[in-house]
Amino acid sequence: MDFGQIRNRLEGVIGADVNAATLAGWIDEAQAEIARYYGKRQRVWYPPPLTYTASNMHAGSTSVLLEDTAPIPEAPDSVV
């Protein structure tokens, strides 16, 4: 699930709008609580770092050059 899917699901459950900052705070609190029980807490969870393409993409693109790959997590994570 991505952040938007979590937000949509929560809004459906509680029947009210939830702003991104509030949801991010709740996620941080949940991670801290989970860490107390299961170990190390992830330091960076949301929002993920951004990078930009070095050139334009189009429907026929088979590869994409990035300006900076440092924000991309190590495998097995992926770029979306």
Side-chain angles (χ1 to χ4, degrees):
M1 286 185 122
D2 65 22
F3 189 80
Q5 291 168 322
I6 294 169
R7 184 177 175 185
N8 289 339
R9 184 175 282 185
L10 178 62
E11 287 175 342
V13 169
I14 66 173
D17 291 340
V18 176
N19 71 42
T22 299
L23 181 55
W26 290 343
I27 290 170
D28 285 344
E29 289 175 25
Q31 280 194 318
E33 189 69 21
I34 290 167
R36 283 188 213 124
Y37 293 103
Y38 300 106
K40 185 179 177 184
R41 179 174 184 245
Q42 285 184 319
R43 292 223 148 242
V44 177
W45 193 75
Y46 187 85
L50 299 176
T51 190
Y52 299 93
T53 59
S55 60
N56 292 330
M57 295 185 303
H58 54 80
S61 295
T62 57
S63 63
V64 177
L65 296 176
L66 301 175
E67 287 288 328
D68 179 14
T69 59
I72 299 170
E74 295 296 322
D77 291 326
S78 62
V79 176
V80 178

